[in-house]
Amino acid sequence: MKKRQNVTIKGTKDGIVLHLDDSCSYYELKKELDEKLSENQRTQTERQLTPVKVDVGNRYLTDAQTEEIKDLIRQKKNLVVDKIESNVVTRAEVDKLKAENEVVTVARIIRSGQILEVPGDLLLIGDVNPGGTVIAGGNIFIMGSLKGIAHAGVFGNDQAVITASSMQPSQLRISDCLNRAPDNPQNNEKREMECAYIDDNHQIIVDRLQVLINLRPNLTRLEGGH
Amino acid sequence: MGEAIVITSGKGGVGKTTTSANIGTALALQGKKVCLVDTDIGLRNLDVVMGLENRIIYDLVDVVEGRCKIHQALVKDKRFEDLLYLLPAAQTVDKSAVKPEQMHKLINELKQDYDYIIIDCPAGIEQGFQNAIAGADRAIVVTTPEVSAVRDADRIIGLLEKSQTVESPKLVINRIRNHMMKSGDMLDVDEITTHLSIELIGIVADDEEVIKASNHGEPIALNPNSKASIAYRNIARRILGESIPLQPLEEANKSVFGKLKKFFGVR
């Protein structure tokens, strides 16, 4: 009986694709991968680095296993791992992803000394008082007045925005940018219905709410419709 | 079964002790049986403001540690017929001498015999504060029209809301100087109330008589001719559930007062 191949190597114009079978044991797979790559090496002479895409099908690789596979491939000359693709994700990852894409609604006043943190977008029905902090992985929408600190896109999302009905923050932070209120507020102009975003120069800009319609079209999540 | 009300502020020096003494006195004037409890252990002075300092034999820590019975430690105010008592704080130890559970038990015992327990809270948010709110059913937050005091009041309200044992706190704005509020040099009542977004239960004007009275050990609430006294008496009546419009500040700016009236839904 012909032994079934656990590792298939395909060449494409973008590089090599390694298909790793998902029904064999991980140990077998590793062994075969090592063998296959070793014999492959001989045929290759000094050439440029070849990117490798690894497709593991319906197999879930732990972080340690991913590292092992990567190491194994890297040890061979001329090969560099581009990415590892798997059809499977863990429940924890899905929950995290879901949380990051959710809008959390909170009806409360964030008072001095309080911190409200959400993984995704935050819709706050209430105020952020001076000394209070709101932090979100995504955008922050405040229906009341923002007088404290707001930090949007805390995991490094430069596209995140902050909006408030009354914008008088002590500090605005988006991703790794920071902007603070001027020490001498010039006049008591009303700062109503405003938004803050990061512009092309990596600076936080505060502007009318309506500019977001053009700047961040991704904010619209309505699918279909007219 | 009585009700325990904690008087707190976060920031020091805004008039917690004066407010406690006067609200207690005003409630007693209304014929309620009141016990004042000073929880500022180590820095007691409610007894001084009440003029009861030299009658103290036992204190709160003695009661908590079982060295005496509650009634032995209570100091009776002779100006009232069996209506006003004070449980003084200890002066020799510090705030860590008492635990919140012990305070809770103590206040519950007092609630059996009194209509109102007024708890004077120390400044800060540490153990002393935790002790003071442990047994309280309601809270009154005192602030002055200063940014720092309002900031601290905000923090305290947050902590009170988190504790969940105390029902939504009420606000007293103390030491109002009308001319400064009018000129915009001081935060105005409206601004503070909107900012803290809790119910306003009273405003007290800055009055030299208050300081004079405190130094004589006679709460200003006993003097019916002072504006501050009326303010405290009104607070007491609002605590009892009466709805009384806010007293106009001297030469009150029409629009400010109008806003206040509107805020309370008066006419």
Side-chain angles (χ1 to χ4, degrees):
Chain A
M1 193 183 100
K2 197 189 160 207
K3 199 187 154 218
R4 230 186 115 220
Q5 294 228 333
N6 289 333
V7 177
T8 347
I9 304 179
K10 268 188 193 160
T12 69
K13 65 175 193 305
D14 299 325
I16 295 172
V17 180
L18 285 175
H19 288 280
L20 307 186
D21 188 75
D22 50 29
S23 52
C24 69
S25 80
Y26 175 68
Y27 176 75
E28 274 177 65
L29 183 75
K30 219 172 76 179
K31 212 173 113 203
E32 201 178 317
L33 182 66
D34 192 30
E35 284 166 11
K36 276 264 166 63
L37 289 176
S38 301
E39 55 192 60
N40 214 29
Q41 196 186 5
R42 261 176 274 130
T43 62
Q44 285 184 346
T45 46
E46 293 292 312
R47 270 199 294 164
Q48 282 179 318
L49 284 179
T50 316
V52 179
K53 220 169 95 183
V54 185
D55 182 5
V56 295
N58 291 333
R59 180 192 297 274
Y60 177 72
L61 290 178
T62 64
D63 287 347
Q65 289 172 337
T66 310
E67 271 315 301
E68 253 183 344
I69 299 272
K70 275 188 184 169
D71 274 349
L72 202 69
I73 298 173
R74 254 187 235 128
Q75 278 163 20
K76 314 299 164 195
K77 274 184 199 147
N78 300 332
L79 295 186
V80 57
V81 179
D82 183 23
K83 60 177 167 185
I84 296 188
E85 272 183 353
S86 169
N87 295 339
V88 204
V89 284
T90 60
R91 180 170 293 235
E93 282 170 342
V94 173
D95 285 347
K96 191 169 159 253
L97 255 167
K98 196 166 154 251
E100 278 170 13
N101 279 301
E102 224 165 33
V103 181
V104 178
T105 313
V106 178
R108 206 177 112 187
I109 290 170
I110 308 303
R111 300 185 183 275
S112 177
Q114 296 180 329
I115 299 176
L116 175 65
E117 199 166 356
V118 300
D121 287 3
L122 170 67
L123 174 60
L124 181 71
I125 302 163
D127 303 332
V128 181
N129 280 354
T133 307
V134 285
I135 300 173
N139 306 301
I140 297 177
F141 312 110
I142 298 166
M143 301 289 285
S145 51
L146 169 60
K147 294 176 184 162
I149 298 173
H151 192 169
V154 71
F155 307 118
N157 177 4
D158 285 358
Q159 293 293 303
V161 300
I162 301 169
T163 72
S165 301
S166 170
M167 188 72 103
Q168 305 154 283
S170 50
Q171 257 182 34
L172 286 175
R173 303 175 189 169
I174 299 176
S175 185
D176 55 353
C177 280
L178 190 145
N179 186 344
R180 72 179 169 81
D183 286 329
N184 307 304
Q186 310 91 339
N187 39 19
N188 294 336
E189 58 177 320
K190 284 232 167 117
R191 316 225 54 168
E192 281 177 345
M193 291 298 168
E194 291 198 315
C195 70
Y197 61 91
I198 296 185
D199 73 351
D200 300 334
N201 302 323
H202 215 63
Q203 294 281 319
I204 295 181
I205 304 290
V206 178
D207 206 339
R208 286 169 62 239
L209 190 65
Q210 286 75 3
V211 300
L212 287 182
I213 297 167
N214 295 320
L215 284 168
R216 297 284 187 272
N218 294 341
L219 283 175
T220 306
R221 291 208 189 160
L222 178 71
E223 279 165 28
H226 301 285
Chain B
M1 188 80 172
E3 222 178 355
I5 305 175
V6 61
I7 314 286
T8 182
S9 73
K11 188 175 179 294
V14 297
K16 283 180 296 296
T17 302
T18 313
T19 307
S20 304
N22 284 299
I23 290 179
T25 308
L27 282 168
L29 283 170
Q30 294 283 322
K32 296 291 168 192
K33 207 171 169 196
V34 180
C35 182
L36 298 167
V37 179
D38 189 353
T39 60
D40 201 347
I41 300 166
L43 284 172
R44 71 174 180 211
N45 39 36
L46 185 54
D47 49 317
V48 182
V49 173
M50 293 298 294
L52 301 171
E53 189 182 13
N54 44 24
R55 300 185 203 191
I56 297 174
I57 296 164
Y58 292 110
D59 56 47
L60 191 145
V61 175
D62 290 324
V63 177
V64 165
E65 291 181 352
R67 282 194 289 272
C68 70
K69 294 264 184 307
I70 291 186
H71 70 264
Q72 290 176 294
L74 290 173
V75 183
K76 183 173 166 180
D77 191 327
K78 283 261 163 63
R79 287 165 292 212
F80 292 91
E81 240 356 275
D82 202 31
L83 282 177
L84 189 58
Y85 287 82
L86 168 73
L87 179 57
Q91 187 70 313
T92 48
V93 285
D94 68 28
K95 291 169 177 74
S96 56
V98 179
K99 290 194 179 64
E101 306 82 64
Q102 295 172 315
M103 273 306 291
H104 192 256
K105 193 169 151 259
L106 175 74
I107 300 295
N108 270 341
E109 262 174 73
L110 285 169
K111 280 205 281 195
Q112 310 299 327
D113 298 327
Y114 294 88
D115 298 321
Y116 286 96
I117 323 290
I118 305 293
I119 306 165
D120 182 21
C121 177
I125 54 171
E126 294 86 13
Q127 171 121 34
F129 169 75
Q130 299 300 339
N131 284 341
I133 65 165
D137 305 307
R138 290 161 71 173
I140 291 179
V141 176
V142 183
T143 188
T144 58
E146 287 164 85
V147 176
S148 53
V150 173
R151 215 41 71 83
D152 289 1
D154 192 42
R155 177 97 170 93
I156 285 293
I157 295 165
L159 292 172
L160 287 168
E161 283 172 348
K162 210 173 111 200
S163 80
Q164 293 189 333
T165 50
V166 183
E167 74 175 65
S168 65
K170 305 277 188 289
L171 182 68
V172 168
I173 304 176
N174 201 6
R175 303 234 180 97
I176 293 176
R177 297 193 192 177
N178 195 42
H179 61 280
M180 288 185 78
M181 233 177 225
K182 246 166 68 182
S183 63
D185 293 328
M186 228 176 203
L187 297 171
D188 77 37
V189 173
D190 223 16
E191 220 175 314
I192 300 170
T193 319
T194 325
H195 181 104
L196 296 176
S197 50
I198 59 171
E199 194 188 320
L200 185 64
I201 199 173
I203 52 174
V204 183
D206 193 23
D207 188 347
E208 285 173 13
E209 292 295 320
V210 176
I211 304 168
K212 249 198 247 168
S214 285
N215 288 342
H216 287 117
E218 295 233 341
I220 191 80
L222 290 171
N223 172 5
N225 300 321
S226 147
K227 256 194 140 49
S229 166
I230 312 276
Y232 284 120
R233 289 178 188 208
N234 282 345
I235 294 172
R237 287 166 67 188
R238 290 188 196 108
I239 290 173
L240 295 174
E242 288 180 48
S243 96
I244 302 158
L246 284 181
Q247 206 187 348
L249 298 163
E250 230 168 340
E251 317 106 20
N253 182 329
K254 265 270 170 6
S255 72
V256 171
F257 186 51
K259 273 189 234 163
L260 281 176
K261 267 182 149 178
K262 217 166 84 192
F263 181 75
F264 275 90
V266 181
R267 249 160 290 191

